[in-house]
Amino acid sequence: MMIRLIYASRAINLGPVDVKDILSSSRRNNHQLAVTGALSLSNGIFLQCLEGERSAVNAVYHHILKDKRHNKPEILSLEEITQRQFTGWNMGLIAATAENSALFLKYSSTSEFDPFTMSAPALKEFFAEVLSSARWLS
Amino acid sequence: MMIRLIYASRAINLGPVDVKDILSSSRRNNHQLAVTGALSLSNGIFLQCLEGERSAVNAVYHHILKDKRHNKPEILSLEEITQRQFTGWNMGLIAATAENSALFLKYSSTSEFDPFTMSAPALKEFFAEVLSSARWLS
Amino acid sequence: MMIRLIYASRAINLGPVDVKDILSSSRRNNHQLAVTGALSLSNGIFLQCLEGERSAVNAVYHHILKDKRHNKPEILSLEEITQRQFTGWNMGLIAATAENSALFLKYSSTSEFDPFTMSAPALKEFFAEVLSSARWLS
Amino acid sequence: MMIRLIYASRAINLGPVDVKDILSSSRRNNHQLAVTGALSLSNGIFLQCLEGERSAVNAVYHHILKDKRHNKPEILSLEEITQRQFTGWNMGLIAATAENSALFLKYSSTSEFDPFTMSAPALKEFFAEVLSSARWLS
Amino acid sequence: MMIRLIYASRAINLGPVDVKDILSSSRRNNHQLAVTGALSLSNGIFLQCLEGERSAVNAVYHHILKDKRHNKPEILSLEEITQRQFTGWNMGLIAATAENSALFLKYSSTSEFDPFTMSAPALKEFFAEVLSSARWLS
Amino acid sequence: MMIRLIYASRAINLGPVDVKDILSSSRRNNHQLAVTGALSLSNGIFLQCLEGERSAVNAVYHHILKDKRHNKPEILSLEEITQRQFTGWNMGLIAATAENSALFLKYSSTSEFDPFTMSAPALKEFFAEVLSSARWLS
Amino acid sequence: MMIRLIYASRAINLGPVDVKDILSSSRRNNHQLAVTGALSLSNGIFLQCLEGERSAVNAVYHHILKDKRHNKPEILSLEEITQRQFTGWNMGLIAATAENSALFLKYSSTSEFDPFTMSAPALKEFFAEVLSSARWLS
Amino acid sequence: MMIRLIYASRAINLGPVDVKDILSSSRRNNHQLAVTGALSLSNGIFLQCLEGERSAVNAVYHHILKDKRHNKPEILSLEEITQRQFTGWNMGLIAATAENSALFLKYSSTSEFDPFTMSAPALKEFFAEVLSSARWLS
Amino acid sequence: MMIRLIYASRAINLGPVDVKDILSSSRRNNHQLAVTGALSLSNGIFLQCLEGERSAVNAVYHHILKDKRHNKPEILSLEEITQRQFTGWNMGLIAATAENSALFLKYSSTSEFDPFTMSAPALKEFFAEVLSSARWLS
Amino acid sequence: MMIRLIYASRAINLGPVDVKDILSSSRRNNHQLAVTGALSLSNGIFLQCLEGERSAVNAVYHHILKDKRHNKPEILSLEEITQRQFTGWNMGLIAATAENSALFLKYSSTSEFDPFTMSAPALKEFFAEVLSSARWLS
Ligand SMILES: Cc1cc2nc3c(=O)[nH]c(=O)nc-3n(C[C@H](O)[C@H](O)[C@H](O)COP(=O)(O)O)c2cc1C
Ligand SMILES: Cc1cc2nc3c(=O)[nH]c(=O)nc-3n(C[C@H](O)[C@H](O)[C@H](O)COP(=O)(O)O)c2cc1C
Ligand SMILES: Cc1cc2nc3c(=O)[nH]c(=O)nc-3n(C[C@H](O)[C@H](O)[C@H](O)COP(=O)(O)O)c2cc1C
Ligand SMILES: Cc1cc2nc3c(=O)[nH]c(=O)nc-3n(C[C@H](O)[C@H](O)[C@H](O)COP(=O)(O)O)c2cc1C
Ligand SMILES: Cc1cc2nc3c(=O)[nH]c(=O)nc-3n(C[C@H](O)[C@H](O)[C@H](O)COP(=O)(O)O)c2cc1C
Ligand SMILES: Cc1cc2nc3c(=O)[nH]c(=O)nc-3n(C[C@H](O)[C@H](O)[C@H](O)COP(=O)(O)O)c2cc1C
Ligand SMILES: Cc1cc2nc3c(=O)[nH]c(=O)nc-3n(C[C@H](O)[C@H](O)[C@H](O)COP(=O)(O)O)c2cc1C
Ligand SMILES: Cc1cc2nc3c(=O)[nH]c(=O)nc-3n(C[C@H](O)[C@H](O)[C@H](O)COP(=O)(O)O)c2cc1C
Ligand SMILES: Cc1cc2nc3c(=O)[nH]c(=O)nc-3n(C[C@H](O)[C@H](O)[C@H](O)COP(=O)(O)O)c2cc1C
Ligand SMILES: Cc1cc2nc3c(=O)[nH]c(=O)nc-3n(C[C@H](O)[C@H](O)[C@H](O)COP(=O)(O)O)c2cc1C
């Protein structure tokens, strides 16, 4: 059983290299567990999508929960899937650039992007559009 | 929860710079509240579409109600949405030009455009077609 | 409430300029009432599609009934619509030319086009295909 | 092809025995043509439902149009059907009694029953409920 | 076109006879406009459902907005309907009794009933269940 | 936004009064947060369903994660809902009695009940049948 | 592959014992081929429903075609089925009694029952209602 | 009512010019009756599709049944349609060439094309693909 | 992942106690693997339905294949399920009595019950009806 | 009745020419039985799709079961189809190259491709994408 889990959390105590560091841990660890996904950090909020075997995604998620660099986690959506969306990335980073901000606004009811207010269907459409048209950092 | 609210009202006592003035207030205020939308003035009738967080759209709508430049407001349609249509405009103005009149006629049962006679599904299709093919004033 | 009404009738006592005359009256009158539509005369049978506000279409139809140039009227289809098909014509004339005869045959169970035998869904598909590919007289 | 046609018209010059007379003509004539249906007279408005072979229903309707006891006819709904609703009546009369008025209000947006404002789906639901729970005059 | 409009607002400065007074005005005025509906006052929040002709419901709603006994109105749902739910009441009052509180909790994500957090589908199901099983005050 | 979250975990170091203790804490705490749900302990596996506001359910779930009396948690299903199923219980306990074992087998592919192998749709049907026909401990 | 085939034909030269004779042959032969069905003779028209293996139903139908007691056969409907309707009869006879005539009228657009005018969906509903409520001859 | 009837039969005693002869008779006769269609002869089996007015298709089919050049007819599919597929041919001939054999195999469970084993949905898809991509003989 | 697998095979060399023996082995073994199901022997054909974890059902099926008391096995249907149908039986036996023969005929195109001719949907409906109304041997 | 059967098994004792040998036997034998399909060998697991007449696919499958070069077979999916997917191959071989590994990952919850964990819908989508974009060995 594969699932896609989307959660948001608030970044705290983020030092300059932390995002880079999170990405490199993620890629190393997620590869082991065959977990793929995408991460965005915008407006001080992490929004992450994790996809893979249900037990593996759960393991990764429960592991991330312990990280001191974020708090107030909230699972926003979880669904069973038959195929992955993010085959290219064990963890892709969606840039918080000006180019992506129209896309953020389109799905956000607030002027600052706030995924905590988004419903599961909205998040699904958001990640689908992200996949096809957002700018990614590599 | 994001919604799209569409209402019509009758223009009264409109001076020459009023529409320009409404647009600039709208853009300034709606930007604050992350409200987007479109406005048309045709046949002496305002037709406006407002989209954003449900409470913000309600705040804007109830504020507009007090404006002395229109009366007889009627909410024609209100629905929950997962994404905005008018991401480009905090308030776009649909020109009441000859070019747009065929489009108006297509959805209107009257020869003069009269949104008060239109149903919610017709308005939905109208704004979708407006978005893709109408002439806009900037 | 906009509707689309389709009826057929049998042409009688048609003089040489009658169709031309019907078209020009139709365009003048239907324009007033914001009624649009299409007319075909083939195999001695009128087939007409009228779209607009329900009361206006009814008024036009009940007015046409009194015309001595046809008889045996039969309403074949009537449905509520949200947009018009024939925005270009207050009354368009579908040519009964050889070019259109394959299209007529496709929807007709008889070799001579006979709309009296057609069901509402068949008529709907017929007019949709007429709109996109038939030859029109202007 | 069987259809169900629903129209409304305004009663004029109605003498005391006219409704009774209309009913007895209807039953005699409709029986010949295998047309069944229901009639209501409420708030000075006739609302009639006619069902049978498409050509027969058209013949009856076009015949009734000539009757001087009503005017301003408007066809409100017409659909193809596979079975009749009013098998019991060549023409049943729905009583305009107090008992039926709650039923009328349920489907009417006005306090006086006004079928001219009703959409085709509303009329369909109205006649279905009439059939199962209204009081009939015999 | 009939609609059903549901809004919530916060009660302010409510004196002892105000609810009784609101109900009697509502019944008198709504009857005139053929508007039906239901009202609840629970947890200091009014939740009202209004159904009738679109222009009449709008007129009543815009009239109520001016009432000083509530503020912060928010339209929560608006949909076109073919039949009314509350035919029995020009304005029914849903009791805020212990008996109804389980029903309130079932649809509310908060322990104190807070319709401002409810989505349109949840409100629709809530009023349907209210209709069939809530206690009413008369 | 209300959600229903279902997870399983493995019981460890369970002393004789632990389940009773978990239930009483749950009832006290969940009541505060307006969270409702059901819990089963069978075959050494906890299966819990939590429903309420999305942020409240997340808070409860993330709080429970820290409990030393279980480990290997896995979220099995999470969906947005418009109404609660378990309005009667802030936390109901499904008895692991012989009477319930046929019900467990019906939804389980293993002879010992193992929710870790169940899909989201199967869990949904399981809890619906539990609600209507399982034996509960009070 | 099981099918249900419905055809009509016109009775000719029917002697007094012919229907009885047809029924007894049918029962004997159809039993061999595992064909089940129903037959009606009304208004001089045979209407027969045959169900069974596609090749068997075809064999029976092509055999019946040669019978001199009817002519002008027309297949009205043929569909693949997963279960039979007429398990009780290798050939049941629907009585053309007064009791059944309301049922006939309900599905017939003519006053005399004429299956030649009926569509496949209407025939399907007719036989379903026949099965549950018509009078049968044995 | 237009239908599409598909049947198969086994060719017997076919002389060299018979197919050519069948085609020319078909075109002449079917044109009269406004019947259109397609014929294939492959693996000694005729597969024919006939479309037109229900009574006309029945007349053609019952006429063909008498032809000594085939036997063991079996109707495989019959459905009501709103438009014809084979407007170009009163009877088109699908070539049994090598080019068409992959298409035959795609829909056939046997290596030699055997329509007697095909279900109605498979035949429908087969003729749709034949229409767009098979080679035809003229 | 639970599945339901249905296959048929031909009984050979069946001695008097074989069915009894098969049943007792089945119950013993299937219980171990949490496989449930039903078996019928009619007209010399075994028809068996097996439900449980996909790997367990496969194991049982591949084990049964080796049994010398039947041959020519054919899997007729296999589908993923969320709940079992035959919770009461690790293997129930459907009696081949006169009472069940009408039920057999209803789903069978042949007079002797032959599941090899049945489609997956027909088998699904057959077992559902078997469950609710067939006679079982214990 | 055509079906598509998908199963997986574990390769054992595979010598260097075995896959080549399996392919040539498959092509020779499957051609006889009009069976088409595709085979992949990746991560020591065979995944094969077989399509054709239900009895032929069963015969091939039960024949393959006896092959000593694999064991632990598990049928993963079986469905009735109206057309084949793999018309080009009596048995195509999907290369286990680097190019195909992203495609494998997309549908697999594990980093090494493991079809035993895949559901029937996932397998269906996998083979559809394989057909259009995988690299094949010939
Ligand atoms: C918002 C956020 C998202 C993270 N996502 C992942 C992830 O997807 N995979 C992962 O292994 N670690 C992730 N981490 C980092 C882990 O919490 C942890 O630091 C990391 O796995 C430690 O890995 P290491 O011990 O292998 O270096 C994330 C951390 C944060 C704050
Ligand atoms: C038809 C109509 C539409 C309007 N739409 C908006 C709007 O979308 N947003 C807005 O802020 N003001 C809108 N206004 C103007 C407001 O009524 C009000 O004049 C304005 O918000 C005053 O803003 P200011 O005090 O910031 O200048 C509208 C007025 C009219 C007559
Ligand atoms: C088949 C047929 C279709 C017609 N369609 C229309 C029509 O769509 N609109 C219209 O105004 N008149 C139509 N007419 C003509 C009217 O019957 C009538 O002659 C005309 O409206 C008189 O108009 P006038 O008095 O303005 O010249 C039609 C007549 C026939 C025979
Ligand atoms: C509202 C209304 C409905 C009528 N309905 C019918 C009807 O369904 N059938 C009918 O034959 N006559 C109907 N009539 C009466 C006809 O207009 C006409 O008077 C009648 O058919 C004359 O019939 P007779 O000449 O057979 O007496 C209706 C009249 C009115 C005003
Ligand atoms: C929450 C609330 C709901 C109300 N609902 C209605 C209503 O449905 N209809 C109505 O006429 N008045 C309603 N009223 C009262 C009106 O605001 C106003 O007081 C009343 O219509 C005055 O009527 P009167 O001048 O006829 O007495 C409501 C007031 C409140 C605070
Ligand atoms: C399987 C399991 C389920 C639990 N469910 C809940 C729950 O729904 N709500 C809750 O407050 N505590 C729950 N608990 C208990 C908490 O982990 C924790 O012990 C409790 O909230 C402490 O509460 P207290 O400090 O108020 O006594 C659960 C514990 C376990 C092991
Ligand atoms: C309208 C009609 C329906 C018939 N239906 C059947 C039938 O379902 N099965 C059948 O065997 N014969 C049927 N027959 C009779 C056959 O045409 C033929 O007379 C009969 O099969 C001869 O059977 P026998 O030679 O076994 O007596 C029907 C005849 C008619 C006129
Ligand atoms: C398989 C097959 C298909 C046929 N299809 C048709 C057809 O579609 N239309 C037709 O008129 N004749 C068709 N025929 C030929 C008729 O059976 C008959 O020979 C022909 O209609 C005689 O026509 P003629 O007397 O006009 O020459 C077909 C014959 C066979 C064997
Ligand atoms: C038609 C048929 C169905 C059978 N079904 C089952 C079954 O569901 N489970 C099972 O264990 N054995 C089944 N058997 C029996 C097995 O083939 C085998 O004889 C049995 O499992 C041996 O079990 P034992 O060694 O435990 O006695 C079936 C045999 C036949 C012929
Ligand atoms: C994984 C696997 C798949 C196979 N697929 C087929 C197949 O589709 N068709 C086939 O005839 N043989 C297949 N075989 C080979 C058969 O088991 C057997 O070796 C072969 O049919 C012998 O054929 P021959 O006696 O004609 O050489 C397969 C074998 C394996 C291990």
Side-chain angles (χ1 to χ4, degrees), chain H residues 64-96:
Chain H
I64 298 172
L65 279 183
K66 295 182 190 125
D67 200 305
K68 295 279 187 285
R69 289 166 295 189
H70 65 159
N71 65 9
K72 309 218 176 91
E74 188 172 328
I75 304 169
L76 307 175
S77 167
L78 182 151
E79 60 176 331
E80 297 184 357
I81 55 175
T82 51
Q83 44 177 276
R84 301 162 187 272
Q85 258 180 325
F86 298 99
T87 38
W89 293 275
N90 281 107
M91 196 44 58
L93 184 63
I94 307 166

Short mmCIF file of all heavy atoms in Angstrom, two decimals, chain H residues 64-96:
data_model
loop_
_atom_site.label_atom_id
_atom_site.label_comp_id
_atom_site.label_asym_id
_atom_site.label_seq_id
_atom_site.Cartn_x
_atom_site.Cartn_y
_atom_site.Cartn_z
N ILE H 64 -32.16 -10.97 -45.65
CA ILE H 64 -30.84 -11.62 -45.82
C ILE H 64 -30.86 -13.06 -45.29
O ILE H 64 -30.20 -13.95 -45.83
CB ILE H 64 -29.75 -10.82 -45.06
CG1 ILE H 64 -29.62 -9.41 -45.64
CG2 ILE H 64 -28.41 -11.53 -45.12
CD1 ILE H 64 -28.70 -8.48 -44.83
N LEU H 65 -31.63 -13.26 -44.22
CA LEU H 65 -31.71 -14.60 -43.61
C LEU H 65 -32.02 -15.68 -44.63
O LEU H 65 -31.62 -16.84 -44.47
CB LEU H 65 -32.82 -14.62 -42.54
CG LEU H 65 -32.50 -14.07 -41.16
CD1 LEU H 65 -33.70 -14.26 -40.25
CD2 LEU H 65 -31.26 -14.74 -40.58
N LYS H 66 -32.76 -15.29 -45.67
CA LYS H 66 -33.21 -16.30 -46.65
C LYS H 66 -32.14 -16.65 -47.66
O LYS H 66 -32.31 -17.57 -48.45
CB LYS H 66 -34.45 -15.78 -47.37
CG LYS H 66 -35.64 -15.62 -46.42
CD LYS H 66 -36.89 -15.15 -47.15
CE LYS H 66 -37.97 -14.76 -46.14
NZ LYS H 66 -38.45 -13.37 -46.35
N ASP H 67 -31.07 -15.92 -47.66
CA ASP H 67 -30.01 -16.14 -48.66
C ASP H 67 -29.33 -17.48 -48.43
O ASP H 67 -28.93 -17.80 -47.31
CB ASP H 67 -28.99 -14.99 -48.55
CG ASP H 67 -28.15 -14.85 -49.81
OD1 ASP H 67 -27.52 -15.85 -50.22
OD2 ASP H 67 -28.15 -13.74 -50.37
N LYS H 68 -29.18 -18.27 -49.53
CA LYS H 68 -28.60 -19.62 -49.40
C LYS H 68 -27.07 -19.59 -49.26
O LYS H 68 -26.45 -20.64 -49.08
CB LYS H 68 -28.95 -20.47 -50.63
CG LYS H 68 -30.42 -20.76 -50.80
CD LYS H 68 -30.83 -21.93 -49.90
CE LYS H 68 -32.26 -22.40 -50.14
NZ LYS H 68 -33.29 -21.48 -49.55
N ARG H 69 -26.46 -18.45 -49.43
CA ARG H 69 -25.00 -18.39 -49.38
C ARG H 69 -24.42 -18.31 -47.96
O ARG H 69 -23.22 -18.13 -47.78
CB ARG H 69 -24.52 -17.20 -50.23
CG ARG H 69 -24.71 -17.47 -51.72
CD ARG H 69 -24.56 -16.22 -52.54
NE ARG H 69 -25.61 -15.24 -52.25
CZ ARG H 69 -25.79 -14.12 -52.96
NH1 ARG H 69 -25.00 -13.85 -53.98
NH2 ARG H 69 -26.77 -13.30 -52.66
N HIS H 70 -25.25 -18.36 -46.97
CA HIS H 70 -24.75 -18.41 -45.59
C HIS H 70 -25.76 -19.17 -44.72
O HIS H 70 -26.93 -19.36 -45.12
CB HIS H 70 -24.50 -17.01 -45.02
CG HIS H 70 -25.70 -16.15 -44.86
ND1 HIS H 70 -25.75 -15.09 -44.03
CD2 HIS H 70 -26.92 -16.19 -45.48
CE1 HIS H 70 -26.91 -14.50 -44.10
NE2 HIS H 70 -27.64 -15.15 -44.98
N ASN H 71 -25.34 -19.61 -43.55
CA ASN H 71 -26.29 -20.20 -42.60
C ASN H 71 -25.82 -19.97 -41.16
O ASN H 71 -24.87 -19.25 -40.92
CB ASN H 71 -26.51 -21.68 -42.89
CG ASN H 71 -25.26 -22.48 -42.68
OD1 ASN H 71 -24.26 -21.98 -42.16
ND2 ASN H 71 -25.27 -23.74 -43.09
N LYS H 72 -26.52 -20.54 -40.21
CA LYS H 72 -26.22 -20.38 -38.79
C LYS H 72 -26.07 -18.92 -38.35
O LYS H 72 -25.09 -18.54 -37.69
CB LYS H 72 -24.93 -21.14 -38.40
CG LYS H 72 -24.94 -22.59 -38.85
CD LYS H 72 -24.29 -23.47 -37.79
CE LYS H 72 -24.37 -24.94 -38.16
NZ LYS H 72 -23.21 -25.42 -38.92
N PRO H 73 -27.05 -18.09 -38.74
CA PRO H 73 -26.96 -16.68 -38.36
C PRO H 73 -27.10 -16.51 -36.85
O PRO H 73 -27.82 -17.28 -36.21
CB PRO H 73 -28.17 -16.06 -39.05
CG PRO H 73 -29.17 -17.18 -39.10
CD PRO H 73 -28.35 -18.41 -39.35
N GLU H 74 -26.42 -15.56 -36.32
CA GLU H 74 -26.57 -15.24 -34.89
C GLU H 74 -26.46 -13.73 -34.70
O GLU H 74 -25.44 -13.13 -35.04
CB GLU H 74 -25.49 -15.98 -34.08
CG GLU H 74 -25.69 -15.85 -32.59
CD GLU H 74 -24.74 -16.72 -31.76
OE1 GLU H 74 -24.37 -17.82 -32.22
OE2 GLU H 74 -24.35 -16.27 -30.67
N ILE H 75 -27.51 -13.16 -34.15
CA ILE H 75 -27.46 -11.71 -33.85
C ILE H 75 -26.59 -11.54 -32.62
O ILE H 75 -26.82 -12.18 -31.60
CB ILE H 75 -28.86 -11.15 -33.57
CG1 ILE H 75 -29.78 -11.47 -34.76
CG2 ILE H 75 -28.80 -9.65 -33.33
CD1 ILE H 75 -31.24 -11.20 -34.46
N LEU H 76 -25.59 -10.70 -32.73
CA LEU H 76 -24.61 -10.55 -31.66
C LEU H 76 -24.86 -9.30 -30.82
O LEU H 76 -24.48 -9.22 -29.65
CB LEU H 76 -23.20 -10.51 -32.24
CG LEU H 76 -22.84 -11.67 -33.18
CD1 LEU H 76 -21.46 -11.43 -33.79
CD2 LEU H 76 -22.88 -13.01 -32.45
N SER H 77 -25.47 -8.31 -31.45
CA SER H 77 -25.64 -7.04 -30.75
C SER H 77 -26.72 -6.23 -31.46
O SER H 77 -26.85 -6.28 -32.68
CB SER H 77 -24.31 -6.27 -30.77
OG SER H 77 -24.49 -4.94 -30.39
N LEU H 78 -27.50 -5.50 -30.68
CA LEU H 78 -28.52 -4.63 -31.26
C LEU H 78 -28.71 -3.48 -30.28
O LEU H 78 -28.95 -3.72 -29.09
CB LEU H 78 -29.83 -5.42 -31.45
CG LEU H 78 -31.00 -4.68 -32.10
CD1 LEU H 78 -31.89 -5.67 -32.87
CD2 LEU H 78 -31.83 -3.93 -31.08
N GLU H 79 -28.58 -2.25 -30.76
CA GLU H 79 -28.75 -1.12 -29.84
C GLU H 79 -29.38 0.08 -30.53
O GLU H 79 -29.22 0.27 -31.74
CB GLU H 79 -27.40 -0.70 -29.24
CG GLU H 79 -26.41 -0.26 -30.26
CD GLU H 79 -25.09 0.26 -29.68
OE1 GLU H 79 -25.06 0.78 -28.57
OE2 GLU H 79 -24.08 0.15 -30.40
N GLU H 80 -30.09 0.88 -29.78
CA GLU H 80 -30.66 2.11 -30.32
C GLU H 80 -29.55 3.15 -30.43
O GLU H 80 -28.71 3.26 -29.55
CB GLU H 80 -31.80 2.61 -29.42
CG GLU H 80 -32.93 1.59 -29.39
CD GLU H 80 -34.15 2.02 -28.59
OE1 GLU H 80 -34.14 3.10 -27.98
OE2 GLU H 80 -35.13 1.26 -28.59
N ILE H 81 -29.55 3.89 -31.54
CA ILE H 81 -28.49 4.88 -31.77
C ILE H 81 -29.12 6.22 -32.15
O ILE H 81 -30.28 6.28 -32.56
CB ILE H 81 -27.53 4.44 -32.90
CG1 ILE H 81 -28.32 4.14 -34.18
CG2 ILE H 81 -26.74 3.21 -32.48
CD1 ILE H 81 -27.44 3.81 -35.38
N THR H 82 -28.35 7.28 -32.00
CA THR H 82 -28.85 8.59 -32.42
C THR H 82 -28.18 9.05 -33.71
O THR H 82 -28.64 9.98 -34.34
CB THR H 82 -28.59 9.66 -31.35
OG1 THR H 82 -27.20 9.57 -30.98
CG2 THR H 82 -29.46 9.43 -30.13
N GLN H 83 -27.08 8.41 -34.08
CA GLN H 83 -26.44 8.75 -35.34
C GLN H 83 -25.76 7.52 -35.93
O GLN H 83 -25.38 6.61 -35.22
CB GLN H 83 -25.43 9.88 -35.16
CG GLN H 83 -24.54 9.76 -33.96
CD GLN H 83 -23.52 10.89 -33.89
OE1 GLN H 83 -22.46 10.81 -34.51
NE2 GLN H 83 -23.84 11.91 -33.16
N ARG H 84 -25.62 7.53 -37.25
CA ARG H 84 -25.00 6.40 -37.93
C ARG H 84 -23.47 6.50 -37.85
O ARG H 84 -22.92 7.60 -37.77
CB ARG H 84 -25.35 6.42 -39.42
CG ARG H 84 -26.81 6.36 -39.71
CD ARG H 84 -27.07 6.82 -41.15
NE ARG H 84 -28.49 6.94 -41.39
CZ ARG H 84 -29.25 5.92 -41.81
NH1 ARG H 84 -28.70 4.75 -42.06
NH2 ARG H 84 -30.55 6.09 -41.99
N GLN H 85 -22.81 5.34 -37.95
CA GLN H 85 -21.36 5.34 -38.07
C GLN H 85 -20.93 5.29 -39.53
O GLN H 85 -19.96 5.91 -39.91
CB GLN H 85 -20.79 4.09 -37.36
CG GLN H 85 -20.21 4.36 -36.01
CD GLN H 85 -19.67 3.10 -35.36
OE1 GLN H 85 -20.22 2.02 -35.52
NE2 GLN H 85 -18.60 3.24 -34.61
N PHE H 86 -21.67 4.53 -40.34
CA PHE H 86 -21.21 4.24 -41.70
C PHE H 86 -21.95 5.08 -42.74
O PHE H 86 -22.56 4.54 -43.67
CB PHE H 86 -21.36 2.75 -41.98
CG PHE H 86 -20.53 1.92 -41.06
CD1 PHE H 86 -21.09 1.31 -39.95
CD2 PHE H 86 -19.16 1.78 -41.27
CE1 PHE H 86 -20.30 0.56 -39.08
CE2 PHE H 86 -18.37 1.04 -40.39
CZ PHE H 86 -18.95 0.43 -39.29
N THR H 87 -21.93 6.41 -42.55
CA THR H 87 -22.66 7.26 -43.49
C THR H 87 -22.11 7.15 -44.90
O THR H 87 -22.81 7.42 -45.88
CB THR H 87 -22.60 8.74 -43.05
OG1 THR H 87 -21.30 8.98 -42.53
CG2 THR H 87 -23.63 9.00 -41.97
N GLY H 88 -20.88 6.77 -45.04
CA GLY H 88 -20.28 6.71 -46.38
C GLY H 88 -20.68 5.50 -47.20
O GLY H 88 -20.58 5.50 -48.40
N TRP H 89 -21.14 4.44 -46.53
CA TRP H 89 -21.41 3.20 -47.27
C TRP H 89 -22.82 2.70 -47.04
O TRP H 89 -23.22 2.48 -45.90
CB TRP H 89 -20.50 2.07 -46.79
CG TRP H 89 -19.07 2.27 -47.09
CD1 TRP H 89 -18.42 1.95 -48.25
CD2 TRP H 89 -18.10 2.81 -46.22
NE1 TRP H 89 -17.09 2.28 -48.15
CE2 TRP H 89 -16.87 2.80 -46.92
CE3 TRP H 89 -18.13 3.32 -44.92
CZ2 TRP H 89 -15.68 3.28 -46.35
CZ3 TRP H 89 -16.96 3.80 -44.38
CH2 TRP H 89 -15.76 3.78 -45.08
N ASN H 90 -23.53 2.40 -48.10
CA ASN H 90 -24.75 1.63 -47.90
C ASN H 90 -24.34 0.21 -47.54
O ASN H 90 -25.04 -0.49 -46.84
CB ASN H 90 -25.66 1.68 -49.13
CG ASN H 90 -26.42 3.00 -49.16
OD1 ASN H 90 -26.15 3.88 -49.95
ND2 ASN H 90 -27.36 3.13 -48.22
N MET H 91 -23.15 -0.18 -47.95
CA MET H 91 -22.52 -1.40 -47.44
C MET H 91 -21.03 -1.35 -47.79
O MET H 91 -20.66 -1.47 -48.96
CB MET H 91 -23.17 -2.67 -48.03
CG MET H 91 -22.85 -3.95 -47.30
SD MET H 91 -22.92 -3.83 -45.46
CE MET H 91 -24.61 -3.30 -45.22
N GLY H 92 -20.19 -1.14 -46.78
CA GLY H 92 -18.74 -1.12 -47.01
C GLY H 92 -18.17 -2.51 -46.81
O GLY H 92 -18.72 -3.29 -46.03
N LEU H 93 -17.08 -2.83 -47.51
CA LEU H 93 -16.48 -4.16 -47.34
C LEU H 93 -15.12 -4.02 -46.68
O LEU H 93 -14.22 -3.36 -47.20
CB LEU H 93 -16.35 -4.86 -48.69
CG LEU H 93 -15.82 -6.31 -48.61
CD1 LEU H 93 -16.78 -7.21 -47.85
CD2 LEU H 93 -15.54 -6.87 -50.00
N ILE H 94 -14.97 -4.64 -45.51
CA ILE H 94 -13.70 -4.60 -44.79
C ILE H 94 -12.81 -5.70 -45.34
O ILE H 94 -13.16 -6.88 -45.30
CB ILE H 94 -13.94 -4.88 -43.28
CG1 ILE H 94 -15.01 -3.92 -42.73
CG2 ILE H 94 -12.64 -4.76 -42.51
CD1 ILE H 94 -15.55 -4.34 -41.38
N ALA H 95 -11.68 -5.30 -45.87
CA ALA H 95 -10.80 -6.26 -46.52
C ALA H 95 -10.22 -7.25 -45.51
O ALA H 95 -9.85 -6.88 -44.39
CB ALA H 95 -9.66 -5.52 -47.21
N ALA H 96 -10.16 -8.53 -45.90
CA ALA H 96 -9.57 -9.53 -45.01
C ALA H 96 -8.08 -9.68 -45.36
O ALA H 96 -7.56 -10.77 -45.50
CB ALA H 96 -10.30 -10.86 -45.18
#
